[in-house]
Amino acid sequence: MNRPVIIGILLFLIIFGAILYFIRNRPQPDAPVLGAPQASQTNQASPDTRRINVKLFFGTPGSTSLVAEERSIPYHDTLHAQAKEVLDALISGPKGKLVPPIPQGTRLLDVMVSKDGIAYVDFSGEIVSNHQGGSAGEMVTVYSIVNTLSSNLPQIQGVQILVDDHSVDTLNGHLDLSRPLKPDLSLARQGAEVEPENQTSTL
Amino acid sequence: MSMRKAFGRGFDSRRLHHIFCFVFLILVIPAFAQEQNLTVFEDSRKATIPVQTIEGSPFVKIADLQSLLGFQMNSVVGNQNLSITAGQHTVILSTNRALVSVDQKLVSLSKPVFLVQGVWLVPLDFIPRVLKNVSQKHFLWLESSRSLMLGEVQANQITLKYASESKYSRLVFQAVNAVKFTAQMEGSSLILIPQTDDFSPGFQNAAFEDGVVQGVTVETRGSHKVFRIQTGTEYGSYRTFELKDPPRYIIDFYRKGSQVQQPEQPITIPPPQTQTVPPTLLPSPMATKKVIVIDPGHGGTETGAKGPGGTLEKDVTISIARKLKGMIESTGTRAILTRDGDQVVPLDDRTSRANNNKANLFISIHANATIRGKARGAETYFLSTQATDDESRNIAAVENNAIGLDQAPAVQEDLKLILWDMAQTEYLTESSQLAEMIQQELNKELNISNRGIKQAPFRVLTGATMPAVLVEVGFINNAEEEKLMANSEYQAKIATAIFRSIQKFENRNPVAPKPGASAQ
């Protein structure tokens, strides 16, 4: 081989390596950072400290009924951001004696609300693998999500639960999750813990 | 010779470039292959976008995404760069580079962007990393199933509802998050001014013909949006009030001569009716041999719920199912188990088994569990569907009555149900009755307090073309009941209770074997 070729190839490799090094060592402009433009527009324009009160539906020990616990959470301009906030609050669990309805370790991967008011909620696999099973337990988990979303965000007409980016038939062999579910308000416990206002909230 | 020449004195950067391009194409072209496509869902529409594999990684054509997401594409600087405009966002791509500029910030992609014969190809992570942040539509990107679900980015939407009563017409401005309004008359119009710009009107104009209110239009004043409500010739006076949950601003326009009333409770809501068991049964002629399908819940690796002492639901359910089968067969009726061993059986296969055998009854046996706490007793379920669920129908009725609209929004939804989903609805009356009987017999036989029958959208009941129920015989997460359920005598008691209720149901609803049901 003659020299110019070797020099050429070496030169190329050095330049290529330098470019690669440069790219790799840039301050990581990855997705989270770039997610910022959308969020920061609203956040920076008005340092948003607005909050709203929501009703989160949790389980009751040893029963299939759901009871609402009120919580103040940050306000968001967009429906999906607000839905995310509501679900994160639901996942974080009750402050009182109620039972956390979402299995431990479950993460909310994403939420999307379609134009026709169906919320698609994507959870990590723990919602299945850490679930203790049983129709009663499954109903509490599923309807805590469906009822919480649809009673706090009236634009949400139905909720479809997805697991690890996939639509699923059921969590553990009981409730049909292959299509959107409407809220089941019969699960709301009749009595003191549910505020009378709750009934109007279905309007 | 020519190789030698290429590497020889004639070496220059242009030639090197050509060689690399050639090598690149050699490597790339065979690597093009069809892959699992990308599916895009938007409302009820579904579109498929082909995915190509380049060097083992999935790529899509930007042009395919363009029409769905509605952005503009322009080639810039000698066609080696592409600029995408989506609303106020600008994205710039350069061929063979894994860096993309999004609103002048750099985003890295897993693979470089390619321009092949005038077609721009991007790696799949372009969708979540770049498009997600600039898209006018909100979307959900499901990586592993390669699905993209498109929705609207909604601001606080204000929707309008209208109802006409004899004395007044009511307009309801409903928002997701509370909006303060001020109302002022301007001539014959009432101007409704939201005290925020942070909303989007869910309508542009609405017209009414009741003589009191003519219509509502959205107007822009300066940079603000207001609602103009044009009153009609019969308009007399108005009053406003607010409601919470969801936030609503209500204006009642009174007809001339009608008094403005100030009731304490502006809207009364009738309480949802409690569920009642439908009173009548379909009459079925002749009593002869029947087929009953028993479905032992779970199986194989799908163990179901687990008791604190280690008892598995799948073992309890198969034991009870086998006992019940024996009892049923002793009367000459055919009984079929959806699984006879310890194996995984998909839910739809269980239902299909019953349908294919023209079964007269389908009984799914399960053991229950709560998340925490000790529940005890049996629960019997039958199917609730969106089409038939009394509760939601009542709620829909209340909702529509309250606003004076008689066209339920749920109606369209109902029509979407496919045949499989409708299968069980025909049998709900009988299913509820069977559930009631099983529940009663279990309570009596096991001496437990009544938890009642319940409705839920169970997958295994959905497609059944016969009366179908799911029995949760006890709570396996309750140590006491777990112990009982593992006991063969107690299992026999459960089977007996279910067997008796089947006989009771038979007597009340004499059923002929279905045409095509094979007698054994």
Side-chain angles (χ1 to χ4, degrees), chain A residues 5 29 34 62 75 77 110-111 135-137 155 165 174 176 178 180 197, chain B residues 7 106-107 132 143 145 176-177 198 245 368-369 372 386 457 459 472:
Chain A
V5 176
L34 284 140
Y75 165 88
D77 288 331
D110 209 346
V111 188
S135 296
Q155 279 164 322
D165 295 354
H174 305 100
D176 188 351
S178 67
E197 243 180 53
Chain B
F7 286 99
L106 288 175
V107 181
K132 181 150 193 166
E143 178 87 42
S145 61
V176 179
N177 302 305
D198 180 23
D245 292 329
N368 218 344
R372 202 181 280 172
Q386 290 178 4
R459 177 75 182 193
E472 292 280 0

PDB file of all heavy atoms in Angstrom, chain A residues 5 29 34 62 75 77 110-111 135-137 155 165 174 176 178 180 197, chain B residues 7 106-107 132 143 145 176-177 198 245 368-369 372 386 457 459 472:
ATOM      1  N   VAL A   5      -2.719   6.582   0.739  1.00  0.00           N
ATOM      2  CA  VAL A   5      -3.935   5.852   1.119  1.00  0.00           C
ATOM      3  C   VAL A   5      -3.987   5.677   2.620  1.00  0.00           C
ATOM      4  O   VAL A   5      -4.995   5.960   3.270  1.00  0.00           O
ATOM      5  CB  VAL A   5      -3.986   4.478   0.407  1.00  0.00           C
ATOM      6  CG1 VAL A   5      -5.193   3.686   0.886  1.00  0.00           C
ATOM      7  CG2 VAL A   5      -4.035   4.684  -1.093  1.00  0.00           C
ATOM      8  N   PRO A  29     -28.403  16.026  25.396  1.00  0.00           N
ATOM      9  CA  PRO A  29     -29.684  16.672  25.079  1.00  0.00           C
ATOM     10  C   PRO A  29     -30.729  15.607  24.807  1.00  0.00           C
ATOM     11  O   PRO A  29     -31.180  15.447  23.711  1.00  0.00           O
ATOM     12  CB  PRO A  29     -29.358  17.447  23.806  1.00  0.00           C
ATOM     13  CG  PRO A  29     -28.201  16.682  23.190  1.00  0.00           C
ATOM     14  CD  PRO A  29     -27.623  15.752  24.201  1.00  0.00           C
ATOM     15  N   LEU A  34     -35.509  17.693  26.249  1.00  0.00           N
ATOM     16  CA  LEU A  34     -36.222  18.244  25.116  1.00  0.00           C
ATOM     17  C   LEU A  34     -37.715  18.221  25.309  1.00  0.00           C
ATOM     18  O   LEU A  34     -38.448  18.894  24.618  1.00  0.00           O
ATOM     19  CB  LEU A  34     -35.821  17.496  23.864  1.00  0.00           C
ATOM     20  CG  LEU A  34     -34.440  18.033  23.528  1.00  0.00           C
ATOM     21  CD1 LEU A  34     -33.530  16.973  23.063  1.00  0.00           C
ATOM     22  CD2 LEU A  34     -34.562  19.213  22.581  1.00  0.00           C
ATOM     23  N   GLY A  62     -60.693  -5.249  53.107  1.00  0.00           N
ATOM     24  CA  GLY A  62     -61.605  -6.374  53.107  1.00  0.00           C
ATOM     25  C   GLY A  62     -62.910  -6.146  52.383  1.00  0.00           C
ATOM     26  O   GLY A  62     -63.916  -6.734  52.736  1.00  0.00           O
ATOM     27  N   TYR A  75     -52.162  22.046  39.158  1.00  0.00           N
ATOM     28  CA  TYR A  75     -53.035  22.232  38.005  1.00  0.00           C
ATOM     29  C   TYR A  75     -52.213  22.170  36.721  1.00  0.00           C
ATOM     30  O   TYR A  75     -51.066  22.612  36.684  1.00  0.00           O
ATOM     31  CB  TYR A  75     -53.714  23.599  38.128  1.00  0.00           C
ATOM     32  CG  TYR A  75     -54.365  24.080  36.856  1.00  0.00           C
ATOM     33  CD1 TYR A  75     -55.670  23.726  36.566  1.00  0.00           C
ATOM     34  CD2 TYR A  75     -53.670  24.884  35.954  1.00  0.00           C
ATOM     35  CE1 TYR A  75     -56.273  24.146  35.404  1.00  0.00           C
ATOM     36  CE2 TYR A  75     -54.257  25.322  34.782  1.00  0.00           C
ATOM     37  CZ  TYR A  75     -55.564  24.939  34.507  1.00  0.00           C
ATOM     38  OH  TYR A  75     -56.156  25.355  33.356  1.00  0.00           O
ATOM     39  N   ASP A  77     -52.525  22.694  32.281  1.00  0.00           N
ATOM     40  CA  ASP A  77     -53.347  23.242  31.207  1.00  0.00           C
ATOM     41  C   ASP A  77     -53.902  22.165  30.292  1.00  0.00           C
ATOM     42  O   ASP A  77     -54.971  22.300  29.740  1.00  0.00           O
ATOM     43  CB  ASP A  77     -52.532  24.222  30.363  1.00  0.00           C
ATOM     44  CG  ASP A  77     -52.273  25.498  31.126  1.00  0.00           C
ATOM     45  OD1 ASP A  77     -53.121  25.839  31.969  1.00  0.00           O
ATOM     46  OD2 ASP A  77     -51.239  26.126  30.883  1.00  0.00           O
ATOM     47  N   ASP A 110     -47.447   6.223  30.565  1.00  0.00           N
ATOM     48  CA  ASP A 110     -47.960   7.356  29.794  1.00  0.00           C
ATOM     49  C   ASP A 110     -49.484   7.361  29.829  1.00  0.00           C
ATOM     50  O   ASP A 110     -50.105   6.360  30.165  1.00  0.00           O
ATOM     51  CB  ASP A 110     -47.477   7.273  28.344  1.00  0.00           C
ATOM     52  CG  ASP A 110     -47.352   8.656  27.705  1.00  0.00           C
ATOM     53  OD1 ASP A 110     -47.872   9.636  28.279  1.00  0.00           O
ATOM     54  OD2 ASP A 110     -46.731   8.754  26.639  1.00  0.00           O
ATOM     55  N   VAL A 111     -50.027   8.507  29.503  1.00  0.00           N
ATOM     56  CA  VAL A 111     -51.479   8.647  29.398  1.00  0.00           C
ATOM     57  C   VAL A 111     -51.778   9.412  28.127  1.00  0.00           C
ATOM     58  O   VAL A 111     -51.028  10.299  27.748  1.00  0.00           O
ATOM     59  CB  VAL A 111     -52.072   9.505  30.543  1.00  0.00           C
ATOM     60  CG1 VAL A 111     -53.587   9.458  30.509  1.00  0.00           C
ATOM     61  CG2 VAL A 111     -51.556   9.089  31.871  1.00  0.00           C
ATOM     62  N   SER A 135     -61.281 -11.606  41.855  1.00  0.00           N
ATOM     63  CA  SER A 135     -62.171 -10.663  41.184  1.00  0.00           C
ATOM     64  C   SER A 135     -62.299  -9.373  41.981  1.00  0.00           C
ATOM     65  O   SER A 135     -62.283  -8.276  41.425  1.00  0.00           O
ATOM     66  CB  SER A 135     -63.558 -11.278  41.021  1.00  0.00           C
ATOM     67  OG  SER A 135     -63.483 -12.397  40.180  1.00  0.00           O
ATOM     68  N   ALA A 136     -62.434  -9.532  43.302  1.00  0.00           N
ATOM     69  CA  ALA A 136     -62.629  -8.352  44.142  1.00  0.00           C
ATOM     70  C   ALA A 136     -61.423  -7.421  44.043  1.00  0.00           C
ATOM     71  O   ALA A 136     -61.566  -6.214  43.841  1.00  0.00           O
ATOM     72  CB  ALA A 136     -62.866  -8.776  45.591  1.00  0.00           C
ATOM     73  N   GLY A 137     -60.236  -8.025  44.153  1.00  0.00           N
ATOM     74  CA  GLY A 137     -59.019  -7.226  44.093  1.00  0.00           C
ATOM     75  C   GLY A 137     -58.846  -6.559  42.741  1.00  0.00           C
ATOM     76  O   GLY A 137     -58.421  -5.404  42.639  1.00  0.00           O
ATOM     77  N   GLN A 155     -64.177  15.229  30.792  1.00  0.00           N
ATOM     78  CA  GLN A 155     -64.025  14.955  29.362  1.00  0.00           C
ATOM     79  C   GLN A 155     -63.675  13.502  29.097  1.00  0.00           C
ATOM     80  O   GLN A 155     -63.768  13.031  27.974  1.00  0.00           O
ATOM     81  CB  GLN A 155     -62.934  15.835  28.766  1.00  0.00           C
ATOM     82  CG  GLN A 155     -63.451  17.219  28.449  1.00  0.00           C
ATOM     83  CD  GLN A 155     -62.326  18.173  28.241  1.00  0.00           C
ATOM     84  OE1 GLN A 155     -61.313  18.106  28.921  1.00  0.00           O
ATOM     85  NE2 GLN A 155     -62.487  19.071  27.305  1.00  0.00           N
ATOM     86  N   ASP A 165     -47.022  -1.050  27.299  1.00  0.00           N
ATOM     87  CA  ASP A 165     -47.208  -0.648  25.906  1.00  0.00           C
ATOM     88  C   ASP A 165     -48.145  -1.554  25.112  1.00  0.00           C
ATOM     89  O   ASP A 165     -48.223  -1.429  23.899  1.00  0.00           O
ATOM     90  CB  ASP A 165     -45.876  -0.586  25.137  1.00  0.00           C
ATOM     91  CG  ASP A 165     -44.950   0.481  25.672  1.00  0.00           C
ATOM     92  OD1 ASP A 165     -45.396   1.242  26.557  1.00  0.00           O
ATOM     93  OD2 ASP A 165     -43.816   0.564  25.205  1.00  0.00           O
ATOM     94  N   HIS A 174     -59.684 -11.774  34.925  1.00  0.00           N
ATOM     95  CA  HIS A 174     -61.051 -11.428  35.295  1.00  0.00           C
ATOM     96  C   HIS A 174     -61.656 -10.346  34.396  1.00  0.00           C
ATOM     97  O   HIS A 174     -62.289 -10.653  33.402  1.00  0.00           O
ATOM     98  CB  HIS A 174     -61.123 -11.046  36.771  1.00  0.00           C
ATOM     99  CG  HIS A 174     -60.580 -12.109  37.686  1.00  0.00           C
ATOM    100  ND1 HIS A 174     -59.320 -12.057  38.230  1.00  0.00           N
ATOM    101  CD2 HIS A 174     -61.117 -13.280  38.100  1.00  0.00           C
ATOM    102  CE1 HIS A 174     -59.109 -13.143  38.962  1.00  0.00           C
ATOM    103  NE2 HIS A 174     -60.190 -13.901  38.904  1.00  0.00           N
ATOM    104  N   ASP A 176     -62.476  -7.576  31.708  1.00  0.00           N
ATOM    105  CA  ASP A 176     -62.121  -7.394  30.309  1.00  0.00           C
ATOM    106  C   ASP A 176     -61.524  -6.003  30.083  1.00  0.00           C
ATOM    107  O   ASP A 176     -62.218  -4.995  30.172  1.00  0.00           O
ATOM    108  CB  ASP A 176     -63.386  -7.562  29.452  1.00  0.00           C
ATOM    109  CG  ASP A 176     -63.078  -7.585  27.962  1.00  0.00           C
ATOM    110  OD1 ASP A 176     -61.926  -7.294  27.591  1.00  0.00           O
ATOM    111  OD2 ASP A 176     -63.995  -7.901  27.187  1.00  0.00           O
ATOM    112  N   SER A 178     -59.823  -5.260  27.257  1.00  0.00           N
ATOM    113  CA  SER A 178     -59.484  -5.128  25.848  1.00  0.00           C
ATOM    114  C   SER A 178     -60.172  -3.944  25.196  1.00  0.00           C
ATOM    115  O   SER A 178     -59.922  -3.625  24.054  1.00  0.00           O
ATOM    116  CB  SER A 178     -59.848  -6.411  25.100  1.00  0.00           C
ATOM    117  OG  SER A 178     -61.252  -6.570  25.093  1.00  0.00           O
ATOM    118  N   PRO A 180     -62.260   0.114  26.228  1.00  0.00           N
ATOM    119  CA  PRO A 180     -62.403   1.105  27.295  1.00  0.00           C
ATOM    120  C   PRO A 180     -63.539   0.743  28.255  1.00  0.00           C
ATOM    121  O   PRO A 180     -64.562   0.211  27.843  1.00  0.00           O
ATOM    122  CB  PRO A 180     -62.750   2.387  26.533  1.00  0.00           C
ATOM    123  CG  PRO A 180     -62.310   2.167  25.146  1.00  0.00           C
ATOM    124  CD  PRO A 180     -62.435   0.700  24.894  1.00  0.00           C
ATOM    125  N   GLU A 197     -71.908  15.250  47.635  1.00  0.00           N
ATOM    126  CA  GLU A 197     -71.535  15.940  46.404  1.00  0.00           C
ATOM    127  C   GLU A 197     -71.156  14.970  45.291  1.00  0.00           C
ATOM    128  O   GLU A 197     -71.306  15.248  44.124  1.00  0.00           O
ATOM    129  CB  GLU A 197     -70.302  16.789  46.686  1.00  0.00           C
ATOM    130  CG  GLU A 197     -70.511  18.262  46.532  1.00  0.00           C
ATOM    131  CD  GLU A 197     -69.225  18.981  46.849  1.00  0.00           C
ATOM    132  OE1 GLU A 197     -68.199  18.628  46.250  1.00  0.00           O
ATOM    133  OE2 GLU A 197     -69.260  19.872  47.688  1.00  0.00           O
TER     134      GLU A 197
ATOM    135  N   PHE B   7      -6.747   3.602  -5.594  1.00  0.00           N
ATOM    136  CA  PHE B   7      -5.954   3.803  -4.392  1.00  0.00           C
ATOM    137  C   PHE B   7      -4.598   4.397  -4.690  1.00  0.00           C
ATOM    138  O   PHE B   7      -3.807   4.635  -3.822  1.00  0.00           O
ATOM    139  CB  PHE B   7      -5.774   2.476  -3.646  1.00  0.00           C
ATOM    140  CG  PHE B   7      -7.026   2.055  -2.952  1.00  0.00           C
ATOM    141  CD1 PHE B   7      -7.876   1.126  -3.503  1.00  0.00           C
ATOM    142  CD2 PHE B   7      -7.349   2.646  -1.729  1.00  0.00           C
ATOM    143  CE1 PHE B   7      -9.017   0.755  -2.858  1.00  0.00           C
ATOM    144  CE2 PHE B   7      -8.497   2.275  -1.083  1.00  0.00           C
ATOM    145  CZ  PHE B   7      -9.350   1.331  -1.638  1.00  0.00           C
ATOM    146  N   LEU B 106     -30.276  20.481  20.584  1.00  0.00           N
ATOM    147  CA  LEU B 106     -29.935  19.225  19.927  1.00  0.00           C
ATOM    148  C   LEU B 106     -30.536  18.029  20.648  1.00  0.00           C
ATOM    149  O   LEU B 106     -30.534  17.952  21.866  1.00  0.00           O
ATOM    150  CB  LEU B 106     -28.416  19.072  19.850  1.00  0.00           C
ATOM    151  CG  LEU B 106     -27.748  19.997  18.835  1.00  0.00           C
ATOM    152  CD1 LEU B 106     -26.240  19.850  18.922  1.00  0.00           C
ATOM    153  CD2 LEU B 106     -28.229  19.708  17.422  1.00  0.00           C
ATOM    154  N   VAL B 107     -31.051  17.129  19.855  1.00  0.00           N
ATOM    155  CA  VAL B 107     -31.577  15.871  20.378  1.00  0.00           C
ATOM    156  C   VAL B 107     -30.822  14.757  19.692  1.00  0.00           C
ATOM    157  O   VAL B 107     -30.639  14.783  18.481  1.00  0.00           O
ATOM    158  CB  VAL B 107     -33.076  15.710  20.022  1.00  0.00           C
ATOM    159  CG1 VAL B 107     -33.619  14.405  20.587  1.00  0.00           C
ATOM    160  CG2 VAL B 107     -33.877  16.881  20.533  1.00  0.00           C
ATOM    161  N   LYS B 132     -42.808  13.821  19.532  1.00  0.00           N
ATOM    162  CA  LYS B 132     -43.666  13.966  20.712  1.00  0.00           C
ATOM    163  C   LYS B 132     -43.629  15.395  21.253  1.00  0.00           C
ATOM    164  O   LYS B 132     -44.613  15.903  21.760  1.00  0.00           O
ATOM    165  CB  LYS B 132     -43.221  12.987  21.792  1.00  0.00           C
ATOM    166  CG  LYS B 132     -44.088  13.064  23.026  1.00  0.00           C
ATOM    167  CD  LYS B 132     -44.172  11.756  23.733  1.00  0.00           C
ATOM    168  CE  LYS B 132     -45.291  11.822  24.751  1.00  0.00           C
ATOM    169  NZ  LYS B 132     -45.663  10.541  25.264  1.00  0.00           N
ATOM    170  N   GLU B 143     -43.851   1.600  22.531  1.00  0.00           N
ATOM    171  CA  GLU B 143     -42.629   1.136  21.909  1.00  0.00           C
ATOM    172  C   GLU B 143     -42.710  -0.331  21.474  1.00  0.00           C
ATOM    173  O   GLU B 143     -42.504  -0.657  20.314  1.00  0.00           O
ATOM    174  CB  GLU B 143     -41.479   1.314  22.916  1.00  0.00           C
ATOM    175  CG  GLU B 143     -40.138   0.830  22.435  1.00  0.00           C
ATOM    176  CD  GLU B 143     -39.390   1.898  21.665  1.00  0.00           C
ATOM    177  OE1 GLU B 143     -39.417   3.057  22.103  1.00  0.00           O
ATOM    178  OE2 GLU B 143     -38.800   1.558  20.622  1.00  0.00           O
ATOM    179  N   SER B 145     -45.121  -2.492  21.144  1.00  0.00           N
ATOM    180  CA  SER B 145     -46.121  -2.942  20.177  1.00  0.00           C
ATOM    181  C   SER B 145     -46.147  -2.038  18.947  1.00  0.00           C
ATOM    182  O   SER B 145     -46.962  -2.222  18.053  1.00  0.00           O
ATOM    183  CB  SER B 145     -47.506  -3.001  20.825  1.00  0.00           C
ATOM    184  OG  SER B 145     -47.895  -1.724  21.265  1.00  0.00           O
ATOM    185  N   VAL B 176     -63.505  22.118  32.240  1.00  0.00           N
ATOM    186  CA  VAL B 176     -62.803  21.050  32.945  1.00  0.00           C
ATOM    187  C   VAL B 176     -62.300  21.592  34.273  1.00  0.00           C
ATOM    188  O   VAL B 176     -62.471  21.000  35.323  1.00  0.00           O
ATOM    189  CB  VAL B 176     -61.618  20.531  32.104  1.00  0.00           C
ATOM    190  CG1 VAL B 176     -60.874  19.451  32.848  1.00  0.00           C
ATOM    191  CG2 VAL B 176     -62.128  20.013  30.776  1.00  0.00           C
ATOM    192  N   ASN B 177     -61.680  22.763  34.204  1.00  0.00           N
ATOM    193  CA  ASN B 177     -61.229  23.430  35.407  1.00  0.00           C
ATOM    194  C   ASN B 177     -62.026  24.733  35.515  1.00  0.00           C
ATOM    195  O   ASN B 177     -62.298  25.381  34.517  1.00  0.00           O
ATOM    196  CB  ASN B 177     -59.739  23.722  35.337  1.00  0.00           C
ATOM    197  CG  ASN B 177     -58.942  22.441  35.137  1.00  0.00           C
ATOM    198  OD1 ASN B 177     -59.066  21.498  35.910  1.00  0.00           O
ATOM    199  ND2 ASN B 177     -58.169  22.395  34.063  1.00  0.00           N
ATOM    200  N   ASP B 198     -57.137  31.163  29.220  1.00  0.00           N
ATOM    201  CA  ASP B 198     -56.608  29.811  29.210  1.00  0.00           C
ATOM    202  C   ASP B 198     -57.735  28.788  29.050  1.00  0.00           C
ATOM    203  O   ASP B 198     -58.045  28.031  29.950  1.00  0.00           O
ATOM    204  CB  ASP B 198     -55.843  29.595  30.517  1.00  0.00           C
ATOM    205  CG  ASP B 198     -55.256  28.212  30.586  1.00  0.00           C
ATOM    206  OD1 ASP B 198     -55.063  27.621  29.512  1.00  0.00           O
ATOM    207  OD2 ASP B 198     -55.023  27.735  31.701  1.00  0.00           O
ATOM    208  N   ASP B 245     -68.043  20.539  40.332  1.00  0.00           N
ATOM    209  CA  ASP B 245     -67.927  19.088  40.076  1.00  0.00           C
ATOM    210  C   ASP B 245     -68.826  18.551  38.983  1.00  0.00           C
ATOM    211  O   ASP B 245     -69.730  17.792  39.289  1.00  0.00           O
ATOM    212  CB  ASP B 245     -68.147  18.298  41.368  1.00  0.00           C
ATOM    213  CG  ASP B 245     -67.050  18.511  42.358  1.00  0.00           C
ATOM    214  OD1 ASP B 245     -65.911  18.746  41.920  1.00  0.00           O
ATOM    215  OD2 ASP B 245     -67.345  18.445  43.548  1.00  0.00           O
ATOM    216  N   ASN B 368     -61.572 -15.865  45.544  1.00  0.00           N
ATOM    217  CA  ASN B 368     -61.450 -14.409  45.588  1.00  0.00           C
ATOM    218  C   ASN B 368     -60.235 -13.950  46.396  1.00  0.00           C
ATOM    219  O   ASN B 368     -59.635 -14.724  47.129  1.00  0.00           O
ATOM    220  CB  ASN B 368     -62.728 -13.832  46.208  1.00  0.00           C
ATOM    221  CG  ASN B 368     -63.142 -12.542  45.543  1.00  0.00           C
ATOM    222  OD1 ASN B 368     -62.357 -11.921  44.833  1.00  0.00           O
ATOM    223  ND2 ASN B 368     -64.380 -12.139  45.771  1.00  0.00           N
ATOM    224  N   ALA B 369     -59.906 -12.691  46.241  1.00  0.00           N
ATOM    225  CA  ALA B 369     -58.861 -12.070  47.058  1.00  0.00           C
ATOM    226  C   ALA B 369     -59.093 -10.574  47.107  1.00  0.00           C
ATOM    227  O   ALA B 369     -59.545  -9.988  46.128  1.00  0.00           O
ATOM    228  CB  ALA B 369     -57.483 -12.364  46.472  1.00  0.00           C
ATOM    229  N   ARG B 372     -56.170  -5.931  50.667  1.00  0.00           N
ATOM    230  CA  ARG B 372     -55.773  -5.947  52.069  1.00  0.00           C
ATOM    231  C   ARG B 372     -57.016  -6.240  52.906  1.00  0.00           C
ATOM    232  O   ARG B 372     -58.129  -6.022  52.460  1.00  0.00           O
ATOM    233  CB  ARG B 372     -55.184  -4.584  52.452  1.00  0.00           C
ATOM    234  CG  ARG B 372     -54.281  -4.631  53.656  1.00  0.00           C
ATOM    235  CD  ARG B 372     -53.772  -3.253  53.973  1.00  0.00           C
ATOM    236  NE  ARG B 372     -52.647  -2.842  53.119  1.00  0.00           N
ATOM    237  CZ  ARG B 372     -52.158  -1.603  53.127  1.00  0.00           C
ATOM    238  NH1 ARG B 372     -52.687  -0.677  53.877  1.00  0.00           N
ATOM    239  NH2 ARG B 372     -51.145  -1.292  52.347  1.00  0.00           N
ATOM    240  N   GLN B 386     -71.275  -2.338  28.793  1.00  0.00           N
ATOM    241  CA  GLN B 386     -71.607  -0.922  28.691  1.00  0.00           C
ATOM    242  C   GLN B 386     -72.999  -0.747  28.118  1.00  0.00           C
ATOM    243  O   GLN B 386     -73.685   0.204  28.410  1.00  0.00           O
ATOM    244  CB  GLN B 386     -70.564  -0.221  27.837  1.00  0.00           C
ATOM    245  CG  GLN B 386     -69.261  -0.150  28.583  1.00  0.00           C
ATOM    246  CD  GLN B 386     -68.169   0.496  27.794  1.00  0.00           C
ATOM    247  OE1 GLN B 386     -68.397   0.965  26.700  1.00  0.00           O
ATOM    248  NE2 GLN B 386     -66.991   0.522  28.358  1.00  0.00           N
ATOM    249  N   PRO B 457     -67.642  -6.489  34.093  1.00  0.00           N
ATOM    250  CA  PRO B 457     -67.354  -6.905  32.713  1.00  0.00           C
ATOM    251  C   PRO B 457     -66.303  -8.019  32.653  1.00  0.00           C
ATOM    252  O   PRO B 457     -65.174  -7.784  32.258  1.00  0.00           O
ATOM    253  CB  PRO B 457     -66.850  -5.625  32.049  1.00  0.00           C
ATOM    254  CG  PRO B 457     -66.281  -4.826  33.164  1.00  0.00           C
ATOM    255  CD  PRO B 457     -67.048  -5.174  34.400  1.00  0.00           C
ATOM    256  N   ARG B 459     -64.217 -10.949  31.298  1.00  0.00           N
ATOM    257  CA  ARG B 459     -63.844 -11.383  29.967  1.00  0.00           C
ATOM    258  C   ARG B 459     -64.420 -12.766  29.637  1.00  0.00           C
ATOM    259  O   ARG B 459     -64.910 -13.015  28.543  1.00  0.00           O
ATOM    260  CB  ARG B 459     -62.311 -11.421  29.872  1.00  0.00           C
ATOM    261  CG  ARG B 459     -61.781 -11.933  28.564  1.00  0.00           C
ATOM    262  CD  ARG B 459     -61.940 -10.901  27.481  1.00  0.00           C
ATOM    263  NE  ARG B 459     -61.462 -11.402  26.198  1.00  0.00           N
ATOM    264  CZ  ARG B 459     -61.253 -10.634  25.153  1.00  0.00           C
ATOM    265  NH1 ARG B 459     -61.468  -9.335  25.240  1.00  0.00           N
ATOM    266  NH2 ARG B 459     -60.835 -11.134  24.031  1.00  0.00           N
ATOM    267  N   GLU B 472     -67.166 -16.700  42.892  1.00  0.00           N
ATOM    268  CA  GLU B 472     -65.987 -16.580  43.749  1.00  0.00           C
ATOM    269  C   GLU B 472     -66.379 -17.257  45.054  1.00  0.00           C
ATOM    270  O   GLU B 472     -67.144 -16.707  45.842  1.00  0.00           O
ATOM    271  CB  GLU B 472     -65.633 -15.103  43.975  1.00  0.00           C
ATOM    272  CG  GLU B 472     -65.129 -14.379  42.730  1.00  0.00           C
ATOM    273  CD  GLU B 472     -63.662 -14.646  42.414  1.00  0.00           C
ATOM    274  OE1 GLU B 472     -63.009 -15.400  43.150  1.00  0.00           O
ATOM    275  OE2 GLU B 472     -63.179 -14.102  41.402  1.00  0.00           O
TER     276      GLU B 472
END
